[in-house]
Amino acid sequence: QVQLVESGGGLAQAGGSLRLSCAASGRTFSRYNMGWFRQAPGKEREFVAAISWSGGSTYYADSVKGRFTISRDNAKNTLYLQMNSLKPEDTAVYYCAAALRGMTVGIATATGGYDHWGQGTQVTVSS
């Protein structure tokens, strides 16, 4: 089983940037497809971005495409989310998630497609 710990959240101004990290321990990180999700108050958890075990495939929600970049460093057992041009509507708790199952767009973008979750990190964007 893999354990996930997010970091890097905080307060940013609109138009600013933040970089989230997700440190993994336990089973071999490089075997897992990874994703980022977010949940705003009163809303359901929603897909943000996903990356395959090799880094060769990535998926993004339309709302973040062109602004956010997902990446991974398998040597460091770490997943990243670079967030640029932040907007107030990006305010949410951000979660990383891991899955051993095969990655298709349907699986990658659904909360049910992941088996392991971190505890989340708060991102707040002020206008």
Side-chain angles (χ1 to χ4, degrees), residues 10-18 85-92 122-127:
L11 178 64
Q13 290 189 336
S17 299
L18 284 174
S85 302
L86 284 164
K87 303 176 180 180
E89 50 263 43
D90 294 320
T91 295
Q122 176 71 48
V123 170
T124 303
V125 183
S126 62
S127 57

Side-chain angles (χ1 to χ4, degrees), residues 44-116:
E44 293 189 353
R45 192 169 298 189
E46 66 175 6
F47 169 73
V48 175
I51 188 168
S52 62
W53 64 272
S54 66
S57 297
T58 56
Y59 304 93
Y60 293 94
D62 288 341
S63 59
V64 307
K65 202 171 293 184
R67 300 188 298 121
F68 291 9
T69 302
I70 189 171
S71 63
R72 66 190 297 161
D73 186 336
N74 286 343
K76 295 183 178 180
N77 286 0
T78 305
L79 174 73
Y80 302 101
L81 185 68
Q82 178 67 44
M83 306 187 295
N84 298 330
S85 302
L86 284 164
K87 303 176 180 180
E89 50 263 43
D90 294 320
T91 295
V93 177
Y94 283 71
Y95 300 88
C96 66
L100 278 175
R101 67 196 73 188
M103 177 172 270
T104 64
V105 62
I107 292 173
T109 59
T111 55
Y114 295 85
D115 308 300
H116 307 285

Side-chain angles (χ1 to χ4, degrees), residues 8-33:
L11 178 64
Q13 290 189 336
S17 299
L18 284 174
R19 188 195 197 198
L20 304 184
S21 298
C22 173
S25 61
R27 289 191 176 181
T28 306
F29 174 71
S30 61
R31 296 176 56 193
Y32 286 84
N33 298 313

